[in-house]
Amino acid sequence: MSELLTIKEASKWASKFLEKDVTTSNISYLIQYGRVPKVGDNGNTLVSKEDLKKYYKENGDLKEKEWKKKLGDDLNWALSFSEYKESETTKHVHRLHPYKGKFIPQLVEYFIDDHTDKFKKDVFFKPGDVILDPFCGSGTTLVQANELGMHAVGIDVSLFNALISNSKVSKYDLIDIKKTADRITQDLKEFLSDRNNIEFESKLLDELKSFNDQHFPSPEFKRKARNGEIDEKKYGKEKEKQFLPIYHKLIEEYDIQLLQKDNQGFLDKWYLQVVRDEIEFVFQKLKEVENPRTKEILSIVLSRTIRSCRATTHSDLGTLKKPQLTTYYCKKHGKICKPLFSILSWWKRYSKDTVKRLSQFDDLRTDTLQKCLTGDSRTINIVTSLSEKSPDLAKIVKEKKIDGIFSSPPYVGLIDYHEQHAYAYDLFGFERKDELEIGPLYKGKGQEARDSYVEGIAAVLNNCKKYLKEDYDIFLVANDKNNLYPEIAEKAGMKIVNQYKRPVLNRVEKNRSAYAEIIFHLKSLN
């Protein structure tokens, strides 16, 4: 019979077995989501050592062998960064705001830090250097450059992306942020005091808990669903219909308004009316904030909040299929879930989390300069634009030039970068520049789209290399399944001197199949 372990004992055993830190929360997650079966009851949760060992073998060494078999022996497993916990790959300000398609900070560190890996022979950058990211996205390169003592310039065609990036590297009065956020929280509570959606949601949660405890006991239900002992889809639909009369009765009892009168914009379509009212209230309060930096970072908090409060299912947060106005069976959580009827709890949570993350980054911050410019990397004059936004950084770039690039260009036909933050553009009234995106989803993946992509990326490199020193190093992260980068390098007057093929283990998408991306190392032909 297999040895049984408490959660704490399992944590210690797994840490030793895997030779990395495995917390009690990690073990609890495996139990909660049915990865390993729970043994025991009456509050004394135990797990089998053999079950744990089986799980880790199937998701550790065996996974590496399986992926190499599918993707090739040239797969560099060290670049999977599998030894890092999720909290480490989303450390400090990197999780100030969700962003689809970003790379993890450890990948940036590996290539721009001169001491990340003691076995790495080549050193490409050093403290005091200037790094450029012409597809800045959410600012991962800028943040890591700061942490590693390097200056950095970012460029992004999306105004909101630039706002996210700059908010991560800006300096703030954390006391003022906390006081202002707390004041807005109190104002929102007073606004809600004569409304009934909070009381309604509390009553709905009570009903859901009672129903889910009876019909979806955790973790037994999830384990049975994973093992095929129950038809999850059929059972979930049956219970979803069974709970709907309870939901509709509460909606009628509390007179909750679901639909908005208009359906002209994103905010009209994807938010319940009661939620939209709260969003508008907090937005107006933000307009009254006097400190521009405090207003900026709390705008990021509000954007993060409303993203979490869209009227959609938990499994469709990244895709948005259709507005969800009723309770529903949630495959992600294995129970009946509900749409959100108030932003209060999320606003409070993210306000507190933001201050904590900014404080953590302040402890690591170096005295260097970073700025993300809004513009088209194919045509922007970096020095002129920097002179307006960050004169000191412009002077550094002009005098010593940029040492190299670390960036992840968009992939062909994968993401519409403006559309993923449509809620923010709608709320803040930002101008969208969708037509300037390179390789957007809406243009597809056909030959015409691929040709346009090659011309676009090459144009970016040709424009940016004017600001680079002669012996530059460029690292581009790409999934080049169409083999476009050799042509891109040729059109940019560059050569690919190395390629690093890395497995991507923690993808946001639902597809968990073997997947790799390549980091191309480019240098001048001369």
Side-chain angles (χ1 to χ4, degrees):
M1 181 177 178
S2 174
E3 181 181 354
L4 299 181
L5 305 173
T6 65
I7 291 178
K8 187 175 182 179
E9 290 170 340
S11 168
K12 292 181 178 179
W13 175 85
S15 296
K16 185 176 181 180
F17 179 72
L18 298 175
E19 297 182 342
K20 68 176 184 177
D21 185 29
V22 178
T23 67
T24 54
S25 296
N26 297 145
I27 300 297
S28 296
Y29 174 89
L30 296 180
I31 297 171
Q32 180 184 355
Y33 286 89
R35 301 314 195 250
V36 295
K38 171 185 174 182
V39 182
D41 50 22
N42 297 323
N44 187 25
T45 300
L46 301 173
V47 292
S48 162
K49 182 189 288 188
E50 286 302 315
D51 287 334
L52 276 176
K53 187 179 294 186
K54 178 182 178 183
Y55 173 80
Y56 287 128
K57 283 186 175 181
E58 290 178 352
N59 292 275
D61 293 341
L62 292 182
K63 187 171 188 177
E64 178 179 349
K65 292 178 181 178
E66 177 190 344
W67 279 42
K68 284 188 174 181
K69 185 176 180 181
K70 293 180 179 179
L71 300 174
D73 287 334
D74 58 338
L75 197 64
N76 188 333
W77 201 259
L79 292 178
S80 70
F81 304 104
S82 59
E83 70 272 23
Y84 289 95
K85 297 182 294 185
E86 193 269 348
S87 60
E88 294 172 308
T89 59
T90 57
K91 59 183 180 176
H92 51 72
V93 294
H94 289 296
R95 202 172 216 178
L96 280 189
H97 196 285
Y99 186 88
K100 187 176 183 180
K102 64 181 179 181
F103 44 64
I104 61 175
Q106 285 75 21
L107 182 59
V108 186
E109 289 175 357
Y110 183 89
F111 287 97
I112 76 171
D113 191 5
D114 62 354
H115 62 272
T116 299
D117 188 336
K118 63 182 179 181
F119 299 109
K120 190 175 66 175
K121 296 180 180 179
D122 297 320
V123 174
F124 304 107
F125 304 104
K126 61 184 184 302
D129 283 354
V130 184
I131 307 296
L132 172 65
D133 185 347
F135 302 99
C136 195
S138 63
T140 304
T141 297
L142 268 60
V143 173
Q144 287 314 112
N146 181 299
E147 189 176 325
L148 297 170
M150 302 177 192
H151 306 290
V153 180
I155 308 168
D156 204 285
V157 71
S158 162
L159 183 60
F160 185 66
N161 288 358
L163 174 62
I164 296 175
S165 297
N166 287 323
S167 72
K168 290 179 177 179
V169 294
S170 294
K171 296 180 179 179
Y172 301 96
D173 181 342
L174 299 186
I175 295 177
D176 186 57
I177 293 174
K178 185 178 185 307
K179 286 182 177 179
T180 305
D182 288 346
R183 184 173 67 248
I184 293 176
T185 298
Q186 188 57 42
D187 290 342
L188 180 57
K189 287 180 178 178
E190 292 178 8
F191 174 76
L192 293 171
S193 62
D194 61 350
R195 301 166 74 90
N196 58 4
N197 50 311
I198 298 295
E199 184 181 349
F200 158 79
E201 195 163 22
S202 177
K203 179 64 176 177
L204 177 58
L205 285 171
D206 288 341
E207 294 286 355
L208 280 171
K209 185 179 187 310
S210 177
F211 188 86
N212 285 327
D213 285 348
Q214 179 181 354
H215 299 289
F216 301 95
S218 181
E220 289 83 359
F221 173 76
K222 293 174 184 174
R223 181 176 57 79
K224 289 181 179 179
R226 285 174 61 85
N227 294 338
E229 298 174 30
I230 188 171
D231 187 335
E232 181 183 8
K233 185 175 182 180
K234 180 180 179 181
Y235 183 82
K237 280 294 181 184
E238 288 175 355
K239 297 308 174 186
E240 178 182 295
K241 291 180 180 179
Q242 186 176 336
F243 187 81
L244 277 177
I246 302 173
Y247 172 75
H248 289 306
K249 182 179 179 181
L250 289 173
I251 288 288
E252 183 177 355
E253 179 182 343
Y254 286 89
D255 192 25
I256 299 297
Q257 187 176 353
L258 299 177
L259 294 172
Q260 298 185 51
K261 295 179 181 179
D262 297 320
N263 192 19
Q264 301 302 312
F266 190 95
L267 294 179
D268 299 324
K269 179 179 181 180
W270 290 101
Y271 294 89
L272 305 181
Q273 181 63 56
V274 287
V275 173
R276 178 69 184 276
D277 292 343
E278 293 180 33
I279 292 172
E280 187 61 30
F281 178 84
V282 173
F283 183 55
Q284 294 304 320
K285 289 295 177 181
L286 283 180
K287 289 182 178 180
E288 301 170 6
V289 177
E290 295 182 359
N291 186 322
R293 288 289 174 84
T294 298
K295 180 185 292 186
E296 173 188 272
I297 195 63
L298 289 182
S299 295
I300 293 296
V301 174
L302 179 57
S303 176
R304 184 181 178 189
T305 297
I306 68 175
R307 182 187 183 279
S308 293
C309 296
R310 293 170 296 177
T312 185
T313 65
H314 291 127
S315 58
D316 291 332
L317 277 173
T319 52
L320 295 184
K321 294 182 178 179
K322 63 178 182 179
Q324 184 68 40
L325 305 180
T326 67
T327 48
Y328 61 94
Y329 174 69
C330 178
K331 183 176 177 62
K332 180 178 179 179
H333 295 114
K335 62 181 180 179
I336 303 298
C337 288
K338 64 173 184 61
L340 285 160
F341 293 88
S342 175
I343 72 170
L344 178 60
S345 63
W346 290 101
W347 166 262
K348 289 167 59 179
R349 177 188 300 185
Y350 291 151
S351 297
K352 182 179 179 180
D353 182 68
T354 295
V355 172
K356 181 189 74 173
R357 291 180 180 276
L358 291 173
S359 178
Q360 290 172 342
F361 184 56
D362 277 350
D363 292 338
L364 301 170
R365 180 189 295 276
T366 62
D367 188 21
T368 53
L369 301 173
Q370 294 79 33
K371 191 68 178 180
C372 181
L373 304 169
T374 304
D376 188 341
S377 295
R378 291 167 288 197
T379 57
I380 191 172
N381 186 310
I382 295 177
V383 173
T384 300
S385 298
L386 271 181
S387 297
E388 299 174 2
K389 302 295 183 180
S390 181
D392 291 341
L393 183 54
K395 183 179 179 181
I396 294 172
V397 170
K398 188 174 182 180
E399 291 179 351
K400 72 184 295 291
K401 290 207 167 186
I402 295 170
D403 294 273
I405 291 174
F406 191 92
S407 187
S408 179
Y411 295 178
V412 180
L414 185 63
I415 299 173
D416 289 330
Y417 284 89
H418 284 73
E419 189 60 28
Q420 72 162 314
H421 301 303
Y423 51 89
Y425 279 91
D426 205 355
L427 178 65
F428 299 127
F430 291 159
E431 182 183 2
R432 292 177 56 151
K433 297 286 186 179
D434 299 65
E435 72 281 1
L436 295 180
E437 289 185 20
I438 296 175
L441 173 64
Y442 72 87
K443 288 187 178 180
K445 300 180 180 180
Q447 188 60 51
E448 184 178 349
R450 295 197 295 270
D451 291 343
S452 175
Y453 179 85
V454 168
E455 294 297 330
I457 302 297
V460 169
L461 294 175
N462 277 312
N463 182 51
C464 290
K465 72 179 183 182
K466 294 183 293 187
Y467 306 93
L468 303 179
K469 68 178 187 180
E470 289 185 8
D471 188 27
Y472 58 74
D473 288 286
I474 294 178
F475 294 93
L476 300 179
V477 183
N479 175 249
D480 192 26
K481 64 181 182 180
N482 294 309
N483 196 33
L484 303 179
Y485 273 80
E487 183 180 358
I488 289 171
E490 181 181 356
K491 287 180 177 292
M494 300 176 183
K495 58 185 176 183
I496 298 173
V497 296
N498 207 346
Q499 299 183 31
Y500 304 81
K501 188 175 178 182
R502 72 174 292 260
V504 183
L505 303 184
N506 300 313
R507 299 173 67 189
V508 176
E509 296 85 354
K510 295 176 184 177
N511 184 356
R512 301 292 180 179
S513 58
Y515 177 81
E517 61 191 9
I518 295 176
I519 298 90
F520 291 98
H521 182 189
L522 288 77
K523 292 185 74 70
S524 172
L525 278 175
N526 302 325

